[in-house]
Amino acid sequence: MASDEPEWKTRKRRIDPRLDALGWKRPRRGTSPIGRAYRTEEEPTANGPADYALWLDGAAAGIVEAKKLTVGPQNVLTQAARYSRGFQGGPYNFDGHRIPFLYSTSGEVTWFHDVRHPLNRSRRVADVHTPDGLRELLTRDLDSACATLLATPNAHPRLRPYQIAANNAVEQAIADRRRALLVAMATGVGKTFTTVNQAYRLMKAGVGQRILFLVDRRALAAQTVRAFSSFEAEPGLKFDKIYEVYSNRFQREDFGEDEKFDPKLLPESYLTNPKAGLAYVYVTTIQRMAINVLGRDAAIGNTEEGADPDADKLDIPIHAFDVIIADECHRGYTAAEQSAWRSTLDHFDAIKIGLTATPAKHTTAYFQHLAFRYSYAEAVRDNYLVDYDAVAVRSDVRMNGVFLREGEQVTAVDPESGTTQLDLLEDEREFPSSEVERRITAPDSNRKIVAELRKYTDAHEARTGRFPKTLIFAANDLPHTSHADQLVTMLRDEYGRGNAFVEKITGRVDRPLQRIREFRNRPNPGIAVTVDLLSTGVDIPDLEFIVFLRPVKSRILFEQMLGRGTRKGERFPDKDRFTVFDCFDGTLLEYFRSATDITAEPPDKPSRTIGEIIGDIWANKDRDYNVGCLVKRLHRIDKQLSGDAREMLAAYIPEGDLSGYAKALPAALRSDFTKTMKLVRDPTFQDLLVNYPRPPRRFLIADAVEDQVSSRWTFRDAGGVEYKPDDYLTAFERFVRENPAQIEAIRILLDRPRDWGYEPLNELRKKLVTTSPRFTIDDLQRAHEARYHRSLIDLISMVKHAADEHQPLLTAAERVERAFTKVTAGQTFTEPQRAWLERIRTHLVENLSIEPDDFDLIPIFQREGGLTAARRAFGSRITTLLRDLNEAIAA
């Protein structure tokens, strides 16, 4: 067994061939070293012989200590350090170390320590460096490069303060010799721009010359290459005019119809034979790099894009890149030792910078040091992103599932062929909410949710004059049973604005990336239905409504989906909020409300095949644990067997009873391990356990089921705590009643209306939005509408009603009309005066106060001659008139 392998055999079988392949060949006995790089064995030192010395250009540059597999190499580095100090001669001396690069290896696991700087930490590497890699390390002066980097002003004119802070944090961490860093920045705050600037600064200072930028989709690779190419690194000079930017061939569907993009292709030799002095950025997908490093068998799947057909496994040395930037690094890099994501990154001995909007503990476990974080809440506070309002949509079907009675008619769909058949139920059937849209759909539920949504889009359109760009996340887009297709049909029927107004954008449509760009840049479609294609990496600044009709359990995915709406508007600069529709009665928002910025949510772990589990049992690896895993796997398979599958299994186990076989398996293995394993290890039996016939699936359409659907606004305080409308108004009433002594505006409204004007009104608005919960005019109006069924209640009415429930709730127009009736009663006015009064009325409806200064500032007054013209019309009465109107407004 390998675990019993002695050290000398480990060296001959594992380490020597690897050193030979890397270019560290041993000179033949009795001959002088040939070439500039070679190795010696049992190299003498004052502290004993070193297993291997690596010679480079006539000097010993490295020591390799070999240990058998059962000895952890990390702890052997101290032995290598002792030999380094005991080496006689040579040109190097780093605090007593005469050989600068130390390795310890078992041939399977390798640790490395560069002892030239006291802050350098030992680290695990995928292999020993090649002679070229070691030579490059020797010539690189990281101290000097970091000093240059830290001394270089970070003064790009487009950088925001937090982006500068992010760059500074990363650069200081690198100067402190950290090699795995995490940068967490909210979606929409410019991670890519920040990182392009970071890459330029690292390259200019000499900290990193070959930079690998990893993304997880080809479209994002193209987007990133454009970001590098358009970045003005120096006045009048784009990044790609200073340093080369490379990528791969893209496919036609990666772009819109009117786009032409031909990136520079990275020469393969830049990967397989990296040269010192070359400076470039290589942008590619993690999927492609996984193939290059691990081979096509280890390719990482992507449901939206196929694997690159021109990608192959390459012999890439570990020093191929100085810096690796991994975008969206929350996506499973640390799932397990066998994870292709992590193994790909682990292959390279480079500074690694992870970028994410949604850090998780498994992410920080890999990238180790959280160098910088800029949260969504901070970005909203600093006015770089917009906050969201929330609507809880309650659907009985979504919350409670579907109950079908005996004799009820349903339509049964064959998901494979799409054929349908009417069916009368012979017994009751109940489907929990988790099976809605998976095994059954109730069209009435979707139709009523669509109708409920329209109430809000109509209100938004009436208030702003534009339809809110709306993104709906459907449960699935499966052939013949697509929830997305059903929603598209119902939305088109509900809105009646033509097919182009509502579009599906999923991986199943033609040219999905073109459809995304149309949704982003054109008025139509106004509504897009997706599943997860638009959940990350898509920038739609004018998006105003996000609808969750898909249950989500991952905080990372939820926040990425939410992030589609957080950007400020481009065509609509007045976008200061977006609205989230939680079609599960607010439970999604409630579920994620208490989630921290760094959550313990684990990535999906790669599942072992049943053959691997059986192999581990046969090898006696954690036998009891793996037997338990196999038993559970067999029980799971048993629940999915068709009748044909049981008949096929009957050739191996009694009556094809896989569940019974699984229950008896542990005892059988204890009784006769070899005989029992003979069947379990049978290749044909194992193949049947994987490729057994499944029972035909049926999907039901319950047209007769009626749903009850309602909705309500919910409100949040600064801490994310949500309030129902009644709770929100109760908090507002408490605020008004407790603060007259502290807030002058409330005291004026309740006791001294004669003093009302712009200053008290402005003070009141500021106080309301800085308290907890935060009270905005829009939220207060929505809460009043929910409780009192009156829309557009004015702020003065809301405050006075909160203090005294007998006070009437008026709209601004009603309040102004009442004030005008009181102030102008019994008076006559000239034609010019009536014209001025109408202008004043219009202003008051919008602002609820008026000051003499307004006449020279507000366009409706200014263009008619301002205060001078108003005085000409009213004479000295103008001052009294304005004071009386303010008082009447506040009364």
Side-chain angles (χ1 to χ4, degrees), residues 620-638:
N620 212 23
K621 293 181 181 177
D622 288 330
R623 183 193 288 185
D624 290 344
Y625 167 74
N626 282 301
V627 168
C629 292
L630 179 58
V631 168
K632 287 185 177 179
R633 188 72 62 90
L634 294 176
H635 279 301
R636 197 155 63 237
I637 293 170
D638 182 76

Side-chain angles (χ1 to χ4, degrees), residues 840-856:
I840 292 170
R841 181 197 300 272
T842 301
H843 175 80
L844 282 170
V845 169
E846 292 294 323
N847 298 279
L848 290 177
S849 73
I850 191 165
E851 303 290 340
D853 291 347
D854 293 338
F855 284 79
D856 292 324

Side-chain angles (χ1 to χ4, degrees), residues 391 451-468 470 495 497 544-545 579 581 711 713 778 781-782 785 791-792:
V391 174
E452 198 72 14
L453 173 65
R454 182 169 181 178
K455 297 176 185 177
Y456 293 88
T457 59
D458 284 354
H460 184 282
E461 194 167 17
R463 186 173 70 255
T464 64
R466 65 174 181 269
F467 186 88
T470 300
Y495 285 93
R497 302 191 189 189
E544 294 188 271
F545 281 14
T579 303
F581 293 82
S711 63
W713 289 98
D778 284 347
Q781 287 180 335
R782 290 164 181 157
E785 183 175 1
S791 59
L792 301 177

Side-chain angles (χ1 to χ4, degrees), residues 157-194:
R158 288 182 55 197
L159 283 174
R160 296 168 175 173
Y162 63 85
Q163 294 172 317
I164 295 173
N167 290 158
N168 292 345
V170 167
E171 291 163 12
Q172 186 59 57
I174 293 173
D176 293 340
R177 294 306 197 273
R178 294 189 180 274
R179 295 180 63 82
L181 319 171
L182 184 64
V183 176
M185 297 173 70
T187 299
V189 299
K191 285 195 300 295
T192 302
F193 186 86
T194 306

